[in-house]
Amino acid sequence: MTPTTISARHVLAALALAGAAGAAQAATLYVSSEKDDALTMIDLATLQVTGTVATCKRPRHMQLAAGGKQLVVACTESGKADVIDLANGRSVRRIDLGDDPEIFDLSPDGKTLYVSNEDDGEMGIVDFASGKRTGAVKVGQEPEGVKVSPDGKTVFVTSEVASMVHVVDAASGKVVKNIKVGKRPRRFAISPDGRELWVSNELDASVSVIDTAKLEVVDTLRFELKGARSEDITPVGLAFSRDGRRAFVGLGRANHVAFVDVASRKVQELVLVGKRAWSVALNADESRLFVVNGLSDDVTVVDVAAAKAVKTIPVGRVPHTAVVVE
């Protein structure tokens, strides 16, 4: 790929006048930018940036809510979640998430928000409708990843310092088990059948596979890349295909994304993307994979069938998460 000569900052400056008026569209990729306090919008048909949406300070993780009508953005420096109406691209309310929120997940019924509060070593519990914090669960130091089980009964939380996954009973709000995984676990993905929980271990060049019935690690995938040292392979973002046969893992400083065959646990393809491949997201028909590159301030568009990067799109400074709205 030929590097673009237009910086992300110039792109955002040129689009600043559009702001939220760069109307949200039905087929749009939203990308949060930690250093710009904004979301970049990319039209999925043209793969062009169409505008930005201002939000709270240091936006990071994002997730759809209200049946896909709203986008919830966790802002670390604001200690808030910004709830954005996707029909008009405007903020409709802010929710207090506590100190240093990073990753969150919503219960299947959309009523409860669980968030990692890194500085406090807690998983915060928030009533989504009222926006009130209803509780907190002490976990290991520097919690990050949060994932609710499909039945809503269990919440999983990673502790980067303890190298553990904490299993929280949603009803009692208590940690019922601690599962040792690789060094500095970051994010989660649950297989479509709900049987496996995959955990990316950033400082271990690996993914731990947890059996959700046994609540124990049953396998570990280790990544290797020709010419790269193990310490430079730092997996973070991961996602499953809808049929559960394939997983996609961003390999961080290795600047690649791995295509993994789930059944065999084997890497099928390694695709070169931008610098520090961070989070990943698939479009609805799974023909394209979008890889957020945190150090090159761009998104790489990967043709899934060809396992080939086809375009690089400049976005905001230090992009964090991508969410597809179709």
Side-chain angles (χ1 to χ4, degrees), residues 202-221:
E202 187 179 21
L203 299 185
D204 203 40
S206 71
V207 165
S208 297
V209 179
I210 295 173
D211 184 305
T212 56
K214 298 177 181 178
L215 294 178
E216 62 184 40
V217 174
V218 293
D219 211 342
T220 301
L221 287 70

Side-chain angles (χ1 to χ4, degrees), residues 12-23 41 50-53:
L12 289 177
L15 293 165
L17 294 177
M41 297 186 295
T50 59
T52 61
V53 178

Side-chain angles (χ1 to χ4, degrees), residues 15 30 43 85 92 105 140 158-159 185 190 200 264 266:
L15 293 165
Y30 289 84
D43 184 287
D85 183 347
V92 293
D105 200 10
T158 61
S159 166
I190 292 182
S200 57
S264 68
K266 301 294 185 182

Side-chain angles (χ1 to χ4, degrees), residues 34 43 49 68 91 111-114 156 171 183 206 209 212-213 229 234 245 248 256 262 270 314:
E34 294 188 51
D43 184 287
V49 174
S91 175
K111 294 181 179 180
T112 307
L113 184 152
Y114 301 95
F156 302 96
K183 293 180 182 178
S206 71
V209 179
T212 56
R229 298 174 299 177
T234 54
R245 295 180 179 179
F248 304 89
H256 281 72
V262 172
L270 287 165

Side-chain angles (χ1 to χ4, degrees), residues 12-35:
L12 289 177
L15 293 165
L17 294 177
Q25 301 176 32
T28 302
L29 183 74
Y30 289 84
V31 184
S32 57
S33 300
E34 294 188 51
K35 294 294 185 180

Side-chain angles (χ1 to χ4, degrees), residues 146-159:
V146 180
K147 181 62 70 175
V148 184
S149 62
D151 61 10
K153 295 180 179 180
T154 306
V155 188
F156 302 96
V157 185
T158 61
S159 166

Side-chain angles (χ1 to χ4, degrees), residues 46-223:
T46 64
L47 298 180
Q48 298 293 321
V49 174
T50 59
T52 61
V53 178
T55 187
C56 39
K57 294 182 179 179
R58 201 182 178 190
R60 302 178 87 181
H61 185 58
M62 303 187 293
Q63 189 170 322
L64 292 172
K69 296 178 180 179
Q70 295 178 337
L71 183 64
V72 184
V73 184
C75 296
T76 297
E77 291 185 7
S78 295
K80 305 283 186 182
D82 193 9
V83 182
I84 296 171
D85 183 347
L86 292 175
N88 56 29
R90 296 178 181 175
S91 175
V92 293
R93 64 186 178 119
R94 300 275 173 95
I95 299 173
D96 186 6
L97 294 183
D99 291 338
D100 202 32
E102 188 162 354
I103 306 296
F104 67 92
D105 200 10
L106 287 164
S107 58
D109 61 11
K111 294 181 179 180
T112 307
L113 184 152
Y114 301 95
V115 59
S116 56
N117 294 117
E118 189 170 26
D119 287 349
D120 294 331
E122 292 181 343
M123 180 194 76
I125 305 171
V126 178
D127 179 81
F128 187 66
S130 67
K132 293 182 179 179
R133 189 176 176 90
T134 59
V137 180
K138 276 291 182 184
V139 291
Q141 294 180 49
E142 296 186 22
E144 179 171 325
V146 180
K147 181 62 70 175
V148 184
S149 62
D151 61 10
K153 295 180 179 180
T154 306
V155 188
F156 302 96
V157 185
T158 61
S159 166
E160 296 177 16
V161 173
S163 294
M164 283 185 179
V165 170
H166 305 287
V167 184
V168 180
D169 177 73
S172 66
K174 294 182 178 180
V175 175
V176 295
K177 190 168 185 178
N178 297 310
I179 305 171
K180 191 71 174 177
V181 291
K183 293 180 182 178
R184 204 179 188 207
R186 300 297 298 271
R187 308 283 176 82
F188 292 118
I190 292 182
S191 60
D193 61 12
R195 294 179 180 178
E196 292 183 353
L197 177 73
W198 285 32
V199 189
S200 57
N201 303 310
E202 187 179 21
L203 299 185
D204 203 40
S206 71
V207 165
S208 297
V209 179
I210 295 173
D211 184 305
T212 56
K214 298 177 181 178
L215 294 178
E216 62 184 40
V217 174
V218 293
D219 211 342
T220 301
L221 287 70
R222 300 200 178 276
F223 298 97

